[in-house]
Amino acid sequence: MTRKPIMAGNWKMNIDHIEATGLVEKLHYTLVDKEWDPKKTDAVLIPPFTDLRTVRTLIDGDRLNFQLGAQNVSEHDNGAYTGEISTSMLTKLGVTYVVVGHSERRQYFGETDEIINAKAAKALSAGITPIICVGEGLDIRKEGTHVEYTLNQVRGTLANLTAEQVAGLVIAYEPVWAIGTGEVATPEDAQEVCGAIRQEVAALYDEATAESVRIQYGGSVKSGNVAQIMAQPDVDGCLVGGASLQPDEFAAIVRFYQLPA
Ligand code: 13P
């Protein structure tokens, strides 16, 4: 079976809704110029909440081949949760992906595997595809226990999800030491953990689920290293931070299949 590659641009807390218009249009025109074939890659834009409406309007108005994602979602339906955003608010804006458990949310906002699991389940029940983030910090990497550490996060964040749900979601392996540091994991590092994640999904569920789930690598992905990373058998896409703010860079990443590996 072939998994469709998925490139997702996580803008993090950058780009306001006015700046978003310029970024999305430049990205679109660059991709049109370079003859990107949207059948070959899913391209997901993940702006801050305040930009979602603007980006949605651009996608609909100009019929752009981008999908819309959010950076976080509440595990609650609605009510007295000041500052939170619900799945129904996101689905009303045509949001089809949501990042859950990014390492920055784990580190700065105390999100645990249990919370992330609840958010993933809530997203799935609303028809939104979660991009579940896992990955080790530098201390764990130095200890050499990064595979077991990451698989533990996989088990915790997938708890109680069905095989059908897992088959359709995305797991992003983002080693924390490679995020925003310019320190990119080697393609072999990415394959080691992404391959182990797929085997773990096979062990927890079955081979068909493991063959279907899409696994991304994230951490200092750029046009210059994306083709080598994507050449790995268990890497199905990338979750891109800094380079997704640069239209030329992100356009090249979306067209990774045209780059020399
Ligand atoms: P960078 O691509 O800036 O390293 O960020 C990766 C990331 O955290 C994407 O979610």
Side-chain angles (χ1 to χ4, degrees):
M1 108 166 261
T2 49
R3 296 177 292 270
K4 188 174 183 189
I6 174 169
M7 295 302 181
N10 175 9
W11 298 0
K12 306 192 179 181
M13 197 172 73
N14 299 292
I15 309 288
D16 63 35
H17 75 284
I18 296 167
E19 296 164 327
T21 302
L23 175 55
V24 174
E25 286 187 341
K26 179 99 198 296
L27 178 63
H28 168 66
Y29 286 114
T30 308
L31 285 165
V32 168
D33 273 1
K34 307 276 188 196
E35 297 181 355
W36 168 50
D37 178 358
K39 288 203 262 333
K40 293 207 162 138
T41 349
D42 282 334
V44 187
L45 305 181
I46 311 182
F49 287 130
T50 52
D51 302 9
L52 287 172
R53 180 76 192 259
T54 301
V55 177
R56 176 83 259 153
T57 304
L58 285 167
I59 290 173
D60 291 347
D62 297 339
R63 300 207 182 163
L64 308 183
N65 283 307
F66 300 129
Q67 292 167 70
L68 193 56
Q71 297 177 16
N72 186 23
V73 71
S74 173
E75 67 270 41
H76 304 290
D77 284 324
N78 63 295
Y81 298 101
T82 300
E84 292 291 277
I85 300 288
S86 70
T87 49
S88 65
M89 293 170 183
L90 296 180
T91 51
K92 287 263 169 17
L93 286 166
V95 167
T96 50
Y97 288 89
V98 64
V99 175
V100 293
H102 192 279
S103 62
E104 289 147 19
R105 304 253 6 132
R106 292 176 184 263
Q107 186 179 350
Y108 305 131
F109 303 97
E111 291 195 9
T112 60
D113 286 340
E114 290 70 35
I115 294 172
I116 296 156
N117 174 243
K119 291 184 176 197
K122 188 58 72 182
L124 285 162
S125 69
I128 301 175
T129 302
I131 299 176
I132 300 176
C133 300
V134 293
E136 82 286 355
L138 188 57
D139 48 338
I140 303 289
R141 167 64 57 165
K142 282 187 174 152
E143 270 174 33
T145 53
H146 50 281
V147 174
E148 194 41 42
Y149 180 91
T150 304
L151 295 185
N152 205 31
Q153 291 180 326
V154 169
R155 288 187 285 271
T157 53
L158 296 185
N160 302 315
L161 300 186
T162 66
E164 195 186 356
Q165 288 175 321
V166 173
L169 56 73
V170 180
I171 299 173
Y173 168 58
E174 296 205 306
V176 181
W177 49 272
I179 295 178
T181 57
E183 184 87 36
V184 62
T186 65
E188 293 73 29
D189 289 335
Q191 170 58 28
E192 179 193 28
V193 184
C194 292
I197 292 172
R198 197 175 307 284
Q199 280 176 17
E200 186 65 20
V201 171
L204 291 170
Y205 296 91
D206 51 56
E207 284 295 334
T209 306
E211 279 303 305
S212 171
V213 66
R214 290 189 291 179
I215 303 176
Q216 292 178 313
Y217 167 79
S220 298
V221 174
K222 300 188 171 42
S223 59
N225 58 28
V226 66
Q228 294 90 314
I229 292 167
M230 288 301 293
Q232 303 303 312
D234 288 302
V235 180
D236 306 316
C238 296
L239 186 54
V240 184
S244 73
L245 305 176
Q246 298 170 38
D248 290 340
E249 272 292 294
F250 194 61
I253 289 167
V254 168
R255 295 177 301 104
F256 73 94
Y257 54 86
Q258 295 176 341
L259 297 169

